[in-house]
Amino acid sequence: MFSLISRAILFLLGWKIEGQYPHHIPKKILVVYPHTSNWDFPLGILVRTASKAKIQFIGKNSLFRPPYGFIFRGLGGVPVDRTKSNQFVDNMVETYNNRERFTTVIAPEGTRKKVDRLKTGFYYIAVGAKIPMILTQFDFERKVVRYGEPFYPSGDKEKDFEFIFDYFRGIKGKYPELAFTIPEKNSRD
């Protein structure tokens, strides 16, 4: 029922979902780009519910403090202390390795502000846990959320990031000027 309600809300707002959410893959990491607005969160919750997907999200630990922290935990949030290095990647790989089913979503920009480089933890989690990434576009210009095909990283970071950048190139967030600037395509000749 919640799925139908979420689909109706997305329809009324003019949004559509393209691609198929891979329910059949028990462990995966959704990589969402771009992340430029607070509106990304409710959109993500609607899409998750419409897709009937059980996905947890990573958020800064200040979101999980009273008085509203219980809401973010109830929605599947996992707090992360971004002020110190705490072996986040290793802990996430261990979490994936210790569960039969687990899906989380990460925005590689790590913030809604303009950044000069992406955080790479999502990549190293996928490599370390030997799980696919589901590259997911939040295209506010076209009002489309698009699930990509499962992408298993090869371990060749440069080559894999070319693929990732190609997938996200041209996608516009709510505030395009705040999105990480995808580098021009490299020629590998």
Side-chain angles (χ1 to χ4, degrees):
M1 178 157 122
F2 288 117
S3 175
L4 290 174
I5 293 169
S6 293
R7 284 188 176 278
I9 292 169
L10 288 167
F11 176 79
L12 291 172
L13 294 173
W15 282 85
K16 63 182 175 177
I17 300 171
E18 293 180 349
Q20 294 295 314
Y21 178 81
H23 290 279
H24 64 286
I25 299 175
K27 299 179 190 184
K28 55 201 164 290
I29 186 167
L30 274 73
V31 180
V32 173
Y33 174 89
H35 180 38
T36 64
S37 165
N38 284 335
W39 289 107
D40 297 342
F41 182 75
L43 175 61
I45 296 296
L46 285 169
V47 170
R48 178 183 76 177
T49 306
S51 299
K52 298 181 182 178
K54 184 172 179 167
I55 303 169
Q56 294 190 274
F57 64 91
I58 307 300
K60 60 185 176 180
N61 60 355
S62 62
L63 292 174
F64 298 88
R65 293 186 189 133
Y68 303 110
F70 74 96
I71 294 171
F72 290 104
R73 285 184 198 280
L75 290 171
V78 177
V80 171
D81 184 355
R82 297 188 309 183
T83 62
K84 59 185 175 184
S85 175
N86 55 7
Q87 273 113 41
F88 171 70
V89 171
D90 292 339
N91 291 337
M92 288 300 294
V93 169
E94 184 177 343
T95 298
Y96 273 101
N97 289 338
N98 290 333
R99 296 189 184 193
E100 287 186 35
R101 296 188 72 82
F102 187 65
T103 302
T104 190
V105 61
I106 292 182
E109 290 164 296
T111 181
R112 295 173 313 277
K113 298 174 185 151
K114 180 79 172 168
V115 296
D116 295 329
R117 62 184 177 87
L118 296 180
K119 295 186 178 291
T120 56
F122 74 94
Y123 178 79
Y124 291 110
I125 292 166
V127 169
K130 297 176 179 59
I131 58 169
M133 291 182 259
I134 309 302
L135 304 178
T136 307
Q137 301 169 347
F138 273 26
D139 189 342
F140 275 76
E141 184 175 64
R142 294 178 43 233
K143 289 194 169 185
V144 170
V145 172
R146 178 163 183 61
Y147 294 121
E149 293 294 319
F151 173 61
Y152 289 84
S154 68
D156 179 341
K157 185 178 168 189
E158 184 179 322
K159 178 182 165 205
D160 290 343
F161 267 84
E162 269 190 42
F163 179 85
I164 292 166
F165 290 153
D166 282 348
Y167 184 78
F168 289 129
R169 190 170 275 111
I171 302 304
K172 292 194 167 78
K174 174 102 172 127
Y175 302 109
E177 68 278 5
L178 297 179
F180 167 75
T181 303
I182 302 280
E184 293 297 317
K185 188 169 178 126
N186 292 337
S187 65
R188 294 184 61 109
D189 299 329

